[in-house]
């Protein structure tokens, strides 16, 4: 199963970077690491899967994968549904993006119990995530959204910031502090 997920996420990562090709061509070099959000998230997860296949844990990589998969998985679903609700042009690719990004967030949650994330890992990811949001919404490097959504870009930036913090909280609660939330079943 890990091999299948590795191939799916590896292929999705390559396609994701291809998807960003036009935007990356217009992006200043110093912002390049911060623009392709979803493919970078799936790249982190591909690295986690490769490490698992080697029977290794890389806590910092696991933290990056968990937080970014949740954040950008949910973000892309909301942006594509929002474009549809706002009357923007929507085609089969939008529905493919909704399904694939929902899968990103879902696999992040399903793999949470297997990660070995420490609080300092989440602190580093938190700094990265907030920094990425600043680059996206202060410097205008955010992923392209439907023209129907552009009038709401400030609200999207605000939503994205809180979505990142929520993703960090989910990973903290259900991984870092997992031992405090175990279900005790009656005998």
């Amino acid at each position: 199963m890990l091999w299948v997920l590795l191939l799916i996420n590896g292929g999705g990562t390559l396609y994701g970077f291809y998807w960003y090709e036009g935007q990356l061509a217009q992006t200043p070099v110093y912002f390049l690491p911060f623009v392709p959000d979803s493919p970078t998230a799936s790249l982190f997860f591909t690295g986690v899967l490769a490490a698992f296949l080697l029977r290794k844990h890389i806590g910092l990589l696991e933290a990056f994968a968990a937080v970014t998969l949740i954040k950008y998985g949910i973000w892309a679903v909301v942006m594509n549904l929002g474009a549809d609700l706002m009357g923007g042009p929507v085609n089969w690719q939008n529905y493919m993006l909704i399904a694939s990004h929902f899968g990103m967030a879902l696999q992040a949650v399903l793999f949470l119990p297997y990660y070995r994330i420490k609080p300092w890992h989440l602190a580093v990811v938190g700094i990265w995530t907030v920094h990425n949001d600043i680059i996206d919404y202060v410097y205008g490097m955010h992923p392209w959204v439907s023209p129907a959504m552009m009038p709401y870009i400030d609200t999207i930036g605000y939503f994205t910031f809180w979505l990142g913090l929520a993703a960090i909280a989910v990973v903290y609660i259900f991984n870092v502090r997992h031992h405090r939330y175990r279900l005790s079943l009656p005998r």
Side-chain angles (χ1 to χ4, degrees):
M1 185 58 135
L2 290 178
W3 280 106
V4 171
L5 288 173
L6 181 75
L7 292 173
I8 291 169
N9 281 276
T13 299
L14 293 174
Y15 179 75
F17 283 113
Y18 171 75
W19 179 269
Y20 275 91
E21 181 180 39
Q23 186 171 358
L24 291 172
Q26 298 176 15
T27 301
V29 173
Y30 46 89
F31 287 139
L32 285 176
F34 304 101
V35 170
D37 297 326
S38 295
T40 302
S42 62
L43 179 64
F44 292 145
F45 189 61
T46 301
V48 168
L49 292 170
F52 281 2
L53 287 167
L54 297 171
R55 301 192 188 294
K56 304 271 186 215
H57 280 279
I58 305 169
L60 183 58
L61 186 61
E62 293 168 2
F64 269 105
V67 170
T68 59
L69 284 174
I70 293 169
K71 178 180 180 181
Y72 297 119
I74 293 170
W75 185 91
V77 169
V78 170
M79 292 306 111
N80 280 282
L81 289 174
D84 192 13
L85 291 172
M86 300 307 267
V90 178
N91 58 36
W92 69 270
Q93 289 175 324
N94 297 94
Y95 296 110
M96 179 271 301
L97 289 171
I98 290 168
S100 63
H101 284 79
F102 176 79
M104 285 171 54
L106 180 63
Q107 65 188 358
V109 171
L110 292 175
F111 273 82
L112 274 177
Y114 302 101
Y115 294 150
R116 303 294 180 261
I117 298 171
K118 296 179 180 172
W120 75 266
H121 298 144
L122 279 182
V124 170
V125 174
I127 292 167
W128 168 276
T129 301
V130 171
H131 179 69
N132 193 22
D133 290 343
I134 291 168
I135 290 170
D136 281 356
Y137 296 98
V138 172
Y139 292 97
M141 297 292 125
H142 57 82
W144 289 345
V145 296
S146 168
M149 298 290 286
M150 282 306 293
Y152 308 100
I153 200 66
D154 291 339
T155 304
I156 292 169
Y158 186 73
F159 164 75
T160 305
F161 169 78
W162 285 106
L163 182 59
L165 294 185
I168 292 166
V170 165
V171 173
Y172 179 77
I173 291 167
F174 293 104
N175 182 273
V176 176
R177 294 190 54 166
H178 69 283
H179 62 281
R180 295 187 182 168
Y181 295 98
R182 289 184 193 246
L183 181 63
S184 295
L185 298 173
R187 293 180 185 227

